Amino acid sequence: GRSDREAMEAAEKEEISVEDEAVDKNIFRDCNKIAFYRRQKQWLSKKSTYQALLDSVTTDEDSTRFQIINEASKVTLLAEIYGIEGNIFRLKINEETPLKPRFEVPDVLTSKPRTVRLISCSGDTGSLILADGKVGLKCHITANPFKVDLVSEEEVMISINSLGQLYFEHLRILHKQRAAKENEEAASVDTSQENQEDLGLWEEKFGKFVDIKANGPSSIGLDFSLHGFEHLYGIPQHAESHQLKNTGDEDAYRLYNLDVYGYQIFDKMGIYGSVPYLLAHKLGRTIGIFWLNASETLVEINTEPAVEYTLSQMGPVAAKQKVRSRTHVHWMSESGIIDVFLLTGPTPSDVFKQYSHLTGTQAMPPLFSLGYHQCRWNYEDEQDVKAVDTGFDEHDIPYDAMWLDIEHTEGKRYFTWDKKRFPNPKRMQELLRSKKRKLVVISDPHIKIDPDYSVYVKAKDQGFFVKNQEGEDFEGVCWPGLSSYLDFTNPKVREWYSSLFAFPVYQGSTDILFLWNDMNEPSVFRGPEQTMQKNAIHHGNWEHRELHNIYGFYHQMATAEGLIQRSKGKERPFVLTRSFFAGSQKYGAVWTGDNTAEWSYLKISIPMLLTLSITGISFCGADIGGFIGNPETELLVRWYQAGAYQPFFRGHATMNTKRREPWLFGKEHTRLIREAIRERYGLLPYWYSLFYYAHVASQPVMSSADQRGHYPSKCVVEQILVLGLRKEPSFVTTHSSDGKDQPVAFTYCAKTSSLTLEKLSLNIATDWEVHII
């Protein structure tokens, strides 16, 4: 409305500062403030069930389809099950005849997955069995209540909908009276006015914002029970432990890309990026679940440990029955369809390959980008850049890339240079080039509303901005003040944006200039949760709510493509992004955003990066020293020492922090930081090889375990020394896993109570025991 516009114009006159980003954490929502979460919870308490109509089964080359119906809503859903090459199953559930098409995520899968034909072996009347004959995997579908079991060698691995949490809001037309009636029906548990609004079917309030839903409610959900699994990982990005935790009431993991300055640790709220993919691991089997949905998503996890029941007392022997542990995973998304891939492993290495078979492997980085990067908000001008560059040489510290944040531009207009601070950007780049170094500059998705700014004018003329509900360009506040946001979901916008990186177009750029995409959640200051209204309109008339989590993915894609075109396909791009989705690994690197200069943030960087790594994003790192605040000297040194062994290695700091170039903390600390950075450079060939391996074989660069779950080695143990043995043993044997016992030659020394075992040949990759008798 006008008042919004007036507020915006007032904003125009104010200086935008870091305070606009560093907002109070109360502006972000907990689960209980999210209407689709409340609706699903309320509905599930009613225990309404779905059944599959197995007499409706049809099979074609690719898939098996059948109808599912809910006794209450009577709306027919269509389920499709696909077998995909490489031991993957795909389940899609959509309305059979939706009022209008529902959003299906494009561009994330690298190609149409190649299917394998599933053979239907009839079960009894109430069930259907589909088998992938080659690998002994079966899909067992039960009609009433609807359930799918994924079976390997007669053992159930995953059950779908065994808790009956399948949920599907069908699209409907808003008639005013009908809306009231529906709200009444839905609210029959509690008929108060407050509760009707509470369900947020057609509009949802949060703080001063109202989300008007032209298409009404369209939320979906489904549960997966993982049999025998207690260890789950994945679903970044959260500042949380590597192993996923059980979620209590209203404490789900949230996947919703948000700009959270100085995010809290051990919090399941969504931050900058989302990969809706998790892995579960147990002895002998690793599996993955990839939930392909780009709308706001919540994931609940609940583990039931193994239990032993005593069945009965049969004489002296109690008959015991062991019930395997199970973990239930409940996915809920605001919109779209159910489209889920089940990756059946069996090894971690297989699961990594299966996932990258769908979404692509890590892009091979240019060698320089595996070195050390020096950044802050902001290096002031060309003299500052020159002085810092010289500082590295004078202190004999290697580095590869100098970075410039938003202040290098003319008033936060990307693709420009501040004429006072950077009057001769090409000369500055030649200085860096002479030392084989590179320059990385920032390019954000918001474009300053300014009729004299050519990027803005061209985008506006071609209709390349995201629109508001009224069909006008969406306007929001970010670093430049009032801005519009490029609609990267439109291939034409991406193509145009890519063309802006061509040398003749991007004045002052050279072939040593690379890119950094920030604020692309997208961040909208003073917007709901610091982001874009969910009812903003994108290409194809899709609402922002449908695709929020892939906005940043498309921004990085367009940037990387621009760099490839700029070199006519000859040079690998380097693009760092803050926001990401499944498949972002194909376009470059990711970092963990605005962390804080405290020890706890150094510590949490490790599980955060491990989680990114196993979900396909190998090229990841955290700001060395912490972005916000001033690290104590020891913390800075320790952070360099840790960061040297993490994939993306960049020092960065926010506005108004003390300068922290590596030589500013006294001789001794300079030496320690120099050693850490040099250790990194000593290992560069190894890093490069690991990235090549990630690129061609899908194995993560940073990983918590060997991919087979053990340590393959040809090394043997030849000698063992046992201390503190009071008396000489009569004999010693080794017992190996194949059941063989071997006597061992030994010498015993009473004076030192020590036993030496000689001439052994025990492989460290196998299990063995030493028995001393």
Side-chain angles (χ1 to χ4, degrees):
R2 296 316 308 163
S3 58
D4 279 3
R5 178 72 216 206
E6 282 149 23
M8 293 284 195
E9 278 165 1
E12 252 312 66
K13 296 181 180 67
E14 295 167 44
E15 260 313 287
I16 300 296
S17 74
V18 68
E19 274 63 52
D20 286 279
E21 191 177 22
V23 290
D24 191 310
K25 299 293 174 282
N26 297 334
I27 72 145
F28 300 109
R29 297 196 289 179
D30 301 330
C31 290
N32 60 4
K33 301 270 191 329
I34 298 170
F36 76 84
Y37 177 84
R38 294 195 303 269
R39 292 199 302 274
Q40 294 213 22
K41 287 295 182 190
Q42 189 184 88
W43 162 267
L44 294 171
S45 65
K46 294 180 183 169
K47 291 273 179 271
S48 166
T49 57
Y50 279 90
Q51 76 179 71
L53 306 176
L54 292 181
D55 50 0
S56 69
V57 171
T58 58
T59 307
D60 62 24
E61 276 304 296
D62 279 346
S63 67
T64 301
R65 301 161 181 233
F66 52 88
Q67 294 169 328
I68 308 176
I69 194 148
N70 177 269
E71 55 205 30
S73 71
K74 301 286 188 283
V75 174
T76 309
L77 303 178
L78 183 65
E80 296 177 82
I81 294 180
Y82 303 76
I84 291 171
E85 272 184 6
N87 300 0
I88 301 170
F89 283 88
R90 181 183 198 178
L91 169 66
K92 284 176 90 166
I93 300 177
N94 196 352
E95 293 182 59
E96 187 167 50
T97 51
L99 203 55
K100 54 175 104 167
R102 295 180 68 116
F103 188 73
E104 298 188 35
V105 179
D107 303 311
V108 167
L109 301 179
T110 51
S111 57
K112 186 165 183 272
R114 290 181 37 191
T115 54
V116 287
R117 187 129 195 205
L118 298 176
I119 314 302
S120 163
C121 359
S122 56
D124 50 43
T125 49
S127 70
L128 168 68
I129 296 169
L130 303 173
D132 179 345
K134 288 208 281 286
V135 289
L137 290 169
K138 286 190 183 132
C139 210
H140 195 296
I141 299 145
T142 309
N144 195 9
F146 168 60
K147 177 170 85 123
V148 180
D149 289 318
L150 199 57
V151 180
S152 171
E153 282 130 19
E154 307 311 309
E155 191 176 289
V156 180
M157 288 188 297
I158 306 177
S159 298
I160 303 175
N161 201 40
S162 61
L163 301 184
Q165 290 174 336
L166 169 58
Y167 183 87
F168 213 102
E169 291 176 331
H170 59 283
L171 299 179
R172 54 201 110 166
I173 298 164
L174 173 62
H175 298 303
K176 282 285 183 275
Q177 302 77 16
R178 190 163 151 201
K181 180 171 174 288
E182 277 182 8
N183 263 338
E184 236 163 77
E185 278 172 16
S188 55
V189 187
D190 167 6
T191 51
S192 71
Q193 179 64 32
E194 192 184 326
N195 194 68
Q196 293 179 35
E197 284 178 8
D198 214 37
L199 289 164
L201 296 170
W202 298 90
E203 62 175 55
E204 181 174 352
K205 295 189 178 73
F206 177 64
K208 61 178 190 200
F209 299 102
V210 181
D211 175 14
I212 308 279
K213 305 178 186 186
N215 299 316
S218 55
S219 171
I220 56 170
L222 190 58
D223 63 275
F224 300 78
S225 298
L226 315 180
H227 299 273
F229 292 93
E230 293 179 41
H231 298 86
L232 275 68
Y233 308 89
I235 54 172
Q237 189 180 29
H238 302 95
E240 257 293 5
S241 57
H242 185 38
Q243 185 178 333
L244 298 173
K245 295 173 175 168
N246 278 351
T247 57
D249 278 351
E250 299 178 349
D251 180 37
Y253 282 92
R254 187 179 184 202
L255 294 171
Y256 191 60
N257 299 351
L258 291 172
D259 175 1
V260 188
Y261 186 86
Y263 46 81
Q264 284 165 343
I265 286 181
F266 299 122
D267 197 319
K268 299 182 184 72
M269 78 172 294
I271 49 178
Y272 310 97
S274 299
V275 180
Y277 163 52
L278 61 75
L279 298 89
H281 178 69
K282 65 178 179 181
L283 199 62
R285 174 76 67 171
T286 304
I287 57 174
I289 300 177
F290 174 33
W291 176 267
L292 182 51
N293 189 296
S295 70
E296 179 176 359
T297 296
L298 300 167
V299 187
E300 292 188 316
I301 293 168
N302 179 27
T303 300
E304 295 177 359
V307 199
E308 275 195 5
Y309 290 107
T310 304
L311 289 180
S312 61
Q313 202 74 28
M314 308 264 293
V317 186
K320 283 204 157 93
Q321 183 190 1
K322 192 162 185 201
V323 176
R324 287 194 299 164
S325 59
R326 282 188 307 184
T327 298
H328 305 293
V329 181
H330 182 195
W331 297 82
M332 292 164 271
S333 289
E334 185 179 8
S335 201
I337 67 162
I338 292 173
D339 188 359
V340 62
F341 295 83
L342 305 169
L343 318 181
T344 67
T347 67
S349 179
D350 292 326
V351 173
F352 298 146
K353 284 197 180 78
Q354 286 156 355
Y355 178 71
S356 67
H357 182 72
L358 297 170
T359 65
T361 61
Q362 175 63 56
M364 184 68 193
L367 181 59
F368 86 85
S369 65
L370 298 180
Y372 174 64
H373 300 259
Q374 184 66 35
C375 186
R376 73 175 279 114
W377 178 20
N378 209 95
Y379 285 118
E380 294 298 325
D381 50 29
E382 286 176 19
Q383 288 65 40
D384 197 5
V385 167
K386 190 173 179 177
V388 172
D389 181 72
T390 306
F392 277 93
D393 296 336
E394 284 174 352
H395 296 91
D396 205 16
I397 299 170
Y399 92 108
D400 261 271
M402 168 63 66
W403 289 52
L404 296 177
D405 208 319
I406 53 179
E407 310 301 327
H408 82 278
T409 60
E410 191 68 55
K412 322 295 187 293
R413 295 166 182 84
Y414 305 104
F415 304 98
T416 69
W417 303 85
D418 182 311
K419 292 183 185 58
K420 287 197 188 67
R421 295 167 175 235
F422 296 94
N424 200 334
K426 281 198 169 159
R427 185 181 61 199
M428 175 176 68
Q429 287 167 79
E430 290 318 314
L431 168 79
L432 293 169
R433 184 200 304 277
S434 68
K435 301 177 184 183
K436 297 196 163 55
R437 290 174 182 148
K438 312 286 188 256
L439 180 69
V440 180
V441 299
I442 199 163
S443 186
D444 293 351
H446 50 259
I447 302 296
K448 182 174 176 65
I449 295 178
D450 170 8
D452 298 326
Y453 173 30
S454 70
V455 174
Y456 173 75
V457 173
K458 286 177 181 150
K460 184 163 187 66
D461 289 350
Q462 296 176 85
F464 282 171
F465 291 123
V466 178
K467 304 279 185 267
N468 61 22
Q469 288 160 283
E470 284 78 47
E472 294 156 357
D473 290 345
F474 172 85
E475 297 180 358
V477 175
C478 210
W479 300 126
L482 208 52
S483 305
S484 282
Y485 287 71
L486 289 169
D487 183 5
F488 293 106
T489 66
N490 180 346
K492 286 207 162 43
V493 175
R494 295 199 298 273
E495 195 181 315
W496 171 77
Y497 189 76
S498 297
S499 75
L500 299 180
F501 295 98
F503 300 120
V505 184
Y506 190 168
Q507 296 288 309
S509 70
T510 75
D511 62 356
I512 65 153
L513 177 140
F514 294 88
L515 265 296
W516 165 26
N517 295 153
D518 194 11
M519 314 299 285
N520 51 356
E521 294 72 26
S523 178
V524 180
F525 298 160
R526 306 166 203 178
E529 299 191 272
Q530 288 285 86
T531 191
M532 189 175 277
Q533 278 83 327
K534 283 179 169 175
N535 54 13
I537 303 294
H538 288 263
H539 173 65
N541 214 24
W542 294 109
E543 280 193 312
H544 184 70
R545 84 181 70 250
E546 303 285 353
L547 48 82
H548 173 85
N549 286 346
I550 46 172
Y551 183 82
F553 165 94
Y554 279 127
H555 183 206
Q556 188 189 22
M557 176 201 278
T559 307
E561 186 52 41
L563 295 188
I564 292 169
Q565 285 172 13
R566 174 184 85 169
S567 73
K568 312 229 175 342
K570 290 194 177 59
E571 288 184 28
R572 291 188 290 244
F574 169 75
V575 184
L576 176 74
T577 182
R578 189 167 74 175
S579 188
F580 56 87
F581 189 69
S584 286
Q585 65 270 14
K586 297 189 287 286
Y587 307 114
V590 159
W591 92 105
T592 61
D594 299 341
N595 58 358
T596 298
E598 291 167 14
W599 287 92
S600 55
Y601 283 81
L602 166 58
K603 190 174 180 182
I604 204 78
S605 73
I606 296 164
M608 288 179 78
L609 297 178
L610 283 169
T611 298
L612 284 166
S613 298
I614 60 163
T615 52
I617 298 175
S618 265
F619 201 3
C620 56
D623 288 343
I624 304 298
F627 178 65
I628 299 163
N630 299 302
E632 54 185 86
T633 305
E634 189 185 345
L635 173 59
L636 184 66
V637 170
R638 293 299 188 195
W639 213 316
Y640 271 103
Q641 291 169 337
Y645 293 92
Q646 293 172 347
F648 175 60
F649 187 27
R650 177 183 78 152
H652 189 27
T654 187
M655 223 21 158
N656 309 328
T657 52
K658 292 177 189 154
R659 294 293 284 245
R660 57 167 98 143
E661 285 70 35
W663 52 86
L664 296 177
F665 299 89
K667 248 193 175 121
E668 183 54 19
H669 296 117
T670 302
R671 181 183 67 78
L672 290 167
I673 293 173
R674 179 192 298 117
E675 276 174 17
I677 295 177
R678 288 184 147 217
E679 277 178 22
R680 168 63 167 230
Y681 277 88
L683 288 168
L684 262 191
Y686 180 57
W687 278 106
Y688 206 37
S689 303
L690 286 178
F691 268 96
Y692 181 71
Y693 196 51
H695 178 60
V696 297
S698 321
Q699 302 308 305
V701 169
M702 183 175 174
S703 155
S704 49
D706 159 70
Q707 310 325 338
R708 282 167 289 283
H710 58 75
Y711 300 92
S713 177
K714 297 193 170 53
C715 297
V716 291
V717 174
E718 294 175 337
Q719 194 175 16
I720 295 177
L721 180 64
V722 183
L723 301 173
L725 216 57
R726 290 293 159 82
K727 65 182 210 328
E728 182 169 354
S730 37
F731 59 92
V732 178
T733 60
T734 58
H735 176 76
S736 63
S737 51
D738 55 13
K740 288 196 188 121
D741 286 354
Q742 294 275 329
V744 178
F746 63 89
T747 53
Y748 178 76
C749 173
K751 198 158 126 197
T752 56
S753 304
S754 65
L755 174 72
T756 310
L757 311 181
E758 311 271 5
K759 301 194 173 78
L760 299 169
S761 182
L762 300 167
N763 188 318
I764 70 161
T766 59
D767 293 329
W768 41 264
E769 293 169 358
V770 176
H771 294 185
I772 300 169
I773 293 146

